[in-house]
Amino acid sequence: MRVLINFQYNPTQKLFFKDEILKDLEQEIKNSQNLAELEAIRLSLFGKNGEITELFSKLKSLPNNEKKEFAKKANEKKELYNNLISEKRSELEAKKQNEFLKKEAIDVTLFDEPINSGAIHPVMATMDKIVEYFVSQNFSVESGPLIEDDFHNFEALNLPKYHPARDMQDTFYLNIPNMLIRTQTSPVQIRTMQKMKKPPIRMISPGAVFRRDMDLTHTPMFHQVEGLVVEEGSKVSFANLKYILEDFLHYMFGDVKVRFRPSFFPFTEPSAEVDISCIFCGGKGCRVCSHTGWLEVLGSGVVHPNVYKSVGWKNVSGYAFGLGVERFAMLLHSVPDLRSLFEGDIRLLEQFK
Ligand code: DAH
């Protein structure tokens, strides 16, 4: 105590000798409201020019006989305020953490009604079911671009320019010569053969297609699943096609009759459209099947030799098929107007939860 007076060391002198000032400091630490305030106090004591730091810098210049006591006192104070500050710091940190947790807390009991959850769109659910079947039959799933060239979408599929069958599909052409938005998933047949370079091919290709068309059963965008199986030599026949499509349609629609009806597609010969007995009237005839008892669900056929020619393949055989996913979804869920599937009306989607 004497030592400090000798040094006339004012701020610290108070620190050491005037009890009320020491009490004030203690109180100040205890009252600090946040970490920044506390840090300011700490710096005033322990910073570069802090009061306690200065005490220690005085130490060197003291007479030897006084050093020991001075150091002892200084260390006592150092420890005392260090402890007070670090206790207070823990307290303030805990307080800060609690405030943060309170602010971030989520009241899980807040909702007394279940939150609206989404549902898989019926078209996608139907697509998944279709894909699931063919994957189970060892088909690979391939994809191709939505913006196609004339070669892949038409020419390679035996639809040369000015072929009247091009009118079967109302094409969206682009301003770029020979480019269009694909009207069918059949171009993926060509792309897959080009990619694989040789048989065997056993693929499906699900995806969006586009046509200039809009009424009860047509929208400008819809989805198809294309299928193609090619083997070397003459291994693949119409019988294979018939077997897999019958099995597939039973998987999709249950116990229905399946009928193959001669038809025309440029990329298959012979070609067949496939019908199932009407699932609404059981084949007796109703409005949905236009009183025929049958519903058309697929196009198919034995791959036309010109299709192989376009990719330079010889001595191969195969079948192909294509279907509209929306048509399947409409039949499976009795949707009367195709356009309603694309209006995004939550009341429709809610029915598919
Ligand atoms: N691409 C045809 C269409 O969009 C559907 C189709 C029919 C695909 C017969 C085929 C097929 O592969 O063999 O109308």
Side-chain angles (χ1 to χ4, degrees):
M1 296 179 172
R2 199 172 43 81
V3 175
L4 275 178
I5 291 163
N6 281 347
F7 271 95
Q8 297 179 334
Y9 185 65
N10 272 328
T12 322
Q13 171 192 348
K14 290 175 202 159
L15 190 79
F16 272 84
F17 299 111
K18 290 202 175 158
D19 269 358
E20 60 296 359
I21 293 181
L22 299 188
K23 280 270 169 320
D24 280 357
L25 181 60
E26 233 178 285
Q27 214 45 55
E28 219 179 298
I29 293 173
K30 283 187 179 145
N31 288 346
S32 48
Q33 290 300 305
N34 52 50
L35 290 164
E37 259 179 61
L38 185 68
E39 179 63 5
I41 298 175
R42 191 190 69 80
L43 287 174
S44 76
L45 296 174
F46 297 106
K48 214 165 149 209
N49 302 313
E51 293 178 54
I52 291 187
T53 310
E54 274 182 19
L55 275 185
F56 283 96
S57 62
K58 300 288 179 211
L59 192 61
K60 305 196 263 315
S61 47
L62 289 181
N64 275 341
N65 61 345
E66 289 175 0
K67 270 188 181 156
K68 198 176 162 196
E69 204 201 334
F70 182 94
K72 193 176 154 228
K73 291 277 177 201
N75 272 320
E76 268 171 31
K77 295 302 166 200
K78 182 179 159 188
E79 208 182 308
L80 171 69
Y81 294 113
N82 238 337
N83 286 343
L84 283 173
I85 287 172
S86 67
E87 263 168 41
K88 187 67 192 181
R89 184 183 295 122
S90 311
E91 185 193 313
L92 288 174
E93 273 168 357
K95 189 173 133 199
K96 191 176 161 190
Q97 175 80 352
N98 275 338
E99 275 164 9
F100 175 76
L101 288 177
K102 227 184 247 169
K103 208 170 71 194
E104 295 284 294
I106 295 167
D107 181 355
V108 292
T109 65
L110 200 60
F111 300 96
D112 60 354
E113 273 175 41
I115 306 170
N116 265 342
S117 65
I120 296 187
H121 193 281
V123 172
M124 287 303 123
T126 306
M127 182 109 103
D128 287 348
K129 190 169 175 184
I130 296 168
V131 171
E132 211 168 81
Y133 171 82
F134 286 104
V135 167
S136 82
Q137 300 299 312
N138 256 339
F139 282 69
S140 68
V141 180
E142 308 289 342
S143 62
L146 302 187
I147 294 178
E148 261 300 2
D149 52 55
D150 191 273
F151 175 77
H152 289 93
N153 196 81
F154 289 130
E155 272 211 71
L157 291 160
N158 196 28
L159 266 150
K161 291 222 163 73
Y162 311 112
H163 191 289
R166 284 199 181 198
D167 288 348
M168 287 166 79
Q169 305 180 356
D170 302 291
T171 310
F172 285 113
Y173 285 97
L174 299 180
N175 281 339
I176 309 158
N178 285 322
M179 296 302 280
L180 45 88
I181 321 182
R182 73 179 182 190
T183 58
Q184 48 186 353
T185 42
S186 306
V188 187
Q189 285 188 20
I190 306 298
R191 290 189 175 276
T192 307
M193 287 193 280
Q194 287 173 327
K195 183 178 83 178
M196 305 296 271
K197 301 207 168 61
K198 59 180 186 4
I201 301 255
R202 196 174 173 82
M203 61 136 254
I204 53 164
S205 180
V209 299
F210 305 83
R211 290 184 197 180
R212 297 167 52 126
D213 218 346
M214 181 85 158
D215 59 35
L216 267 184
T217 52
H218 297 88
T219 48
M221 187 279 305
F222 60 104
H223 298 83
Q224 289 187 333
V225 175
E226 181 78 16
L228 174 71
V229 170
V230 184
E231 299 259 3
E232 259 172 47
S234 51
K235 278 186 224 158
V236 180
S237 72
F238 199 91
N240 302 118
L241 167 69
K242 201 159 176 277
Y243 170 82
I244 197 108
L245 290 184
E246 273 175 4
D247 191 49
F248 163 63
L249 290 171
H250 288 143
Y251 172 81
M252 293 301 290
F253 296 104
D255 190 16
V256 288
K257 282 194 208 118
V258 178
R259 166 175 99 169
F260 284 73
R261 185 164 39 77
S263 183
F264 170 79
F265 296 103
F267 26 87
T268 45
E269 182 60 37
S271 303
E273 272 173 305
V274 187
D275 302 336
I276 55 170
S277 53
C278 181
I279 51 176
F280 298 100
C281 62
K284 285 192 205 76
C286 67
R287 265 189 58 204
V288 184
C289 60
S290 309
H291 303 281
T292 61
W294 294 96
L295 297 165
E296 179 197 322
V297 289
L298 271 161
S300 68
V302 169
V303 179
H304 195 290
N306 284 351
V307 174
Y308 299 129
K309 243 185 229 161
S310 73
V311 292
W313 286 16
K314 284 191 190 111
N315 296 324
V316 294
S317 58
Y319 64 76
F321 57 87
L323 62 89
V325 181
E326 279 76 3
R327 171 117 177 107
F328 275 59
M330 285 177 83
L331 293 175
L332 286 172
H333 301 292
S334 315
V335 180
D337 183 342
L338 175 61
R339 291 167 296 193
S340 65
L341 289 175
F342 299 112
E343 280 164 355
D345 190 327
I346 196 94
R347 290 168 302 179
L348 180 129
L349 295 176
E350 270 171 346
Q351 298 172 52
F352 294 95
K353 271 187 196 170

